[in-house]
Amino acid sequence: MITAVKGTRDILPGEVEQWQLVEETARALCDRYGYLEVRTPVIEREELFAKGTGETTDIVQKEMYAFTDKGGERVTLRPEATPSMVRAYVEHNLEQALPFAKLYSMGPMFRYERPQKGRYRQFHQLDVEVFGLDDPAVDAEVIDLAWALVAALGIPEAELVLNSVGCAKCRPRFQTALLAALGEDVAKLCADCQRRATTNPLRLYDCKVPADQPIIDALPHAVDYLCDDCRAHFDGVRSHLDRWGVPWRISHRLVRGLDYYTRTTFEVLGQTLGAQNALLGGGRYDGLVRALGGPDRTGIGFAAGLERLVLALPDERRAVRPPRAFVVAMGDEARDDGLALLRALRAAGLAAEMELQARGLKAQMKRADRVDARATLIIGSDELARGEVTLRDMRSGEQRAVPRAEAIAEARVLLQPSETE
Ligand code: HAM
């Protein structure tokens, strides 16, 4: 047997309904907030992420599915959507083409990581991006959308964490303070941190090695080194969230693992996910559009891991299939009539099924139970002779004869969702 590649998974019936619920909820919310869908390719030029995600990130250094294609070009399966969205925005001049460059996308991403619960090598993101708008109200709107998604899915005990990592003007001051505070202690940190201290000191905050934590906890905080503009921006974001009743707390360690962030960073953490507790994460990236060859436009967005949203769904939000009808036919002649009725039910817009390998009545009724049919339409030789169908309400067990011509309308009544659905 050939099995699926490590870190990838099949999403089967029983689980796929949860995915549909998450995807439909996300789409409806994005539409409500004025975001338009964009679909970009799964494969991109490798340099897009080297430049976009950043040369010093774990993603680019260790996790990309990059290869040389048959034409000799270096390409990669995308590890995240943001650089692709920026590329599409620049390449198609979307700033001119669309009323607002408020975009979203959904699809698979690929990172060669060590798989564990909530972390896979192929995973899926809802990605939301806004270009060219830099008012704090835009940051707050993006965060509000992220929060509304988690709320609409009924995910309990989620927590919104915020930080500001400053801009090109104030970040160097913070990095200098960070390294000064670290001083000789740098030699006591893990090998990764020693590398981080020289390549990207902010990333020290990503360290998970227990022995390093007391040293890292004592380091200065980015929010204390913001320039006046960044401070005013961050205050603006927080006061909008406060006015809207979106609860947040500051996390000084929220520097995020990608190179492009400026100013606001945020994550929503779930409580039921174990180590991989970030349901979604994002932030502002004001230099990225220009770095990728576009005009000098700001950007902000987030991506939510769909696997993690599905894992965090509460039981009562588990989606149910729409009610369906089942056609049961006894004998060859009735079977042909049953097949015609099956097609007519479907053509009338109803979900309908039938046992297509002719079997006895009992086996067919059992199958109707297994598909959780709400109405069964039974045709035997008697029904055929009288031009009728026996309609069985599968919830009450009641059954009665209805004229064949009215069978579809009568079935439709039984398939109406009840008050509690
Ligand atoms: P990220 O934090 O790398 O950010 O990923 C965002 C979310 O994707 C995570 O919070 C998590 O839910 C999910 N995720 C990431 N890696 C995996 C994995 N291996 N398995 C399962 N889920 C995963 C970004 O990707 C940025 N592009 C977000 C962004 C958009 N920033 C601005 N705009």
Side-chain angles (χ1 to χ4, degrees):
M1 187 189 53
I2 301 171
T3 56
V5 171
K6 185 174 173 189
T8 71
R9 41 195 305 280
D10 301 307
I11 302 164
L12 302 176
E15 186 190 352
V16 84
E17 296 79 8
Q18 273 50 273
W19 281 75
Q20 291 163 350
L21 175 78
V22 168
E23 288 160 359
E24 280 158 22
T25 306
R27 257 177 228 295
L29 269 176
C30 286
D31 178 56
R32 207 186 295 167
Y33 278 68
Y35 289 75
L36 301 173
E37 185 176 358
V38 168
R39 300 185 188 194
T40 63
V42 162
I43 191 166
E44 296 271 9
R45 291 179 209 276
E46 186 180 18
E47 63 180 324
L48 178 65
F49 301 99
K51 277 200 191 130
T53 310
E55 293 280 8
T56 70
T57 58
D58 282 354
I59 293 179
V60 169
Q61 289 193 349
K62 307 190 228 170
E63 297 169 1
M64 291 234 283
Y65 277 89
F67 57 98
T68 306
D69 73 9
K70 289 190 168 54
E73 186 165 1
R74 287 295 293 171
V75 293
T76 183
L77 300 183
R78 60 184 180 188
E80 57 146 340
T82 307
S84 304
M85 297 288 266
V86 173
R87 181 195 53 68
Y89 168 73
V90 174
E91 189 169 336
H92 304 288
N93 196 8
L94 294 181
E95 158 175 70
Q96 299 299 325
L98 301 174
F100 291 111
K102 292 178 34 171
L103 310 173
Y104 78 95
S105 194
M106 251 191 278
M109 308 292 151
F110 304 84
R111 297 183 193 176
Y112 195 81
E113 295 194 85
R114 199 168 45 77
Q116 62 181 86
K117 183 182 171 195
R119 188 165 73 193
Y120 310 95
R121 290 183 176 169
Q122 174 175 332
F123 60 98
H124 299 75
Q125 286 184 340
L126 160 71
D127 185 74
V128 170
E129 311 288 358
V130 182
F131 298 110
L133 301 173
D134 54 7
D135 194 279
V138 176
D139 304 44
E141 182 190 88
V142 169
I143 295 170
D144 181 41
L145 169 57
W147 189 248
L149 174 65
V150 171
L153 293 172
I155 294 174
E157 295 174 67
E159 193 185 17
L160 168 64
V161 289
L162 285 187
N163 197 14
S164 174
V165 295
C167 66
K169 222 164 58 188
C170 50
R171 173 106 40 99
R173 217 159 55 88
F174 171 56
Q175 290 194 347
T176 308
L178 201 66
L179 291 175
L182 193 57
E184 307 282 296
D185 282 350
V186 67
K188 299 185 195 149
L189 295 175
C190 67
D192 269 350
C193 279
Q194 301 203 12
R195 185 176 47 80
R196 290 174 182 132
T198 49
T199 55
N200 190 347
L202 241 68
R203 201 57 50 70
L204 288 166
Y205 277 117
D206 286 340
C207 178
K208 302 254 160 41
V209 176
D212 291 0
Q213 300 312 306
I215 298 177
I216 293 169
D217 283 339
L219 294 175
H221 298 154
V223 289
D224 296 327
Y225 290 83
L226 299 179
C227 61
D228 290 346
D229 288 349
C230 286
R231 165 150 303 287
H233 185 91
F234 196 39
D235 288 346
V237 176
R238 287 181 293 178
S239 49
H240 285 302
L241 294 175
D242 285 341
R243 271 194 293 276
W244 305 343
V246 177
W248 53 270
R249 76 169 166 85
I250 295 268
S251 168
H252 298 295
R253 298 194 61 150
L254 187 67
V255 293
R256 310 260 311 130
L258 305 116
D259 274 356
Y260 44 65
Y261 290 111
T262 54
R263 295 191 165 175
T264 317
T265 53
F266 64 97
E267 283 184 350
V268 174
L269 309 175
Q271 303 304 315
T272 56
L273 295 164
Q276 301 307 315
N277 66 344
L279 291 165
L280 59 88
R284 186 165 271 290
Y285 48 86
D286 289 346
L288 184 62
V289 177
R290 191 150 68 160
L292 291 177
D296 191 9
R297 295 291 178 276
T298 59
I300 177 166
F302 73 88
L306 301 189
E307 280 76 4
R308 295 189 192 175
L309 293 178
V310 167
L311 277 168
L313 275 183
D315 285 342
E316 68 272 15
R317 291 298 167 109
R318 309 247 158 225
V320 284
R321 289 170 93 202
R324 55 207 50 244
F326 199 90
V327 178
V328 168
M330 301 303 301
D332 286 344
E333 216 184 322
R335 187 166 184 270
D336 286 344
D337 194 49
L339 284 166
L341 179 59
L342 177 68
R343 288 196 74 231
L345 284 160
R346 290 170 174 168
L350 300 178
E353 289 169 57
M354 183 174 169
E355 169 58 85
L356 296 183
Q357 313 270 2
R359 285 147 150 250
L361 175 67
K362 222 168 137 194
Q364 293 185 56
M365 290 306 290
K366 220 165 150 184
R367 185 72 70 182
D369 274 335
R370 282 199 63 186
V371 304
D372 206 16
R374 180 137 324 156
T376 303
L377 299 100
I378 305 163
I379 309 173
S381 47
D382 289 354
E383 283 87 354
L384 264 188
R386 290 198 297 264
E388 286 176 350
V389 181
T390 298
L391 181 69
R392 183 179 172 89
D393 179 337
M394 299 295 276
R395 282 184 295 190
S396 67
E398 274 166 35
Q399 62 182 51
R400 63 199 162 86
V402 297
R404 176 73 163 74
E406 284 158 33
I408 293 176
E410 294 279 353
R412 192 189 297 281
V413 174
L414 288 186
L415 299 196
Q416 290 301 321
S418 60
E419 298 271 297
T420 55
E421 284 171 320

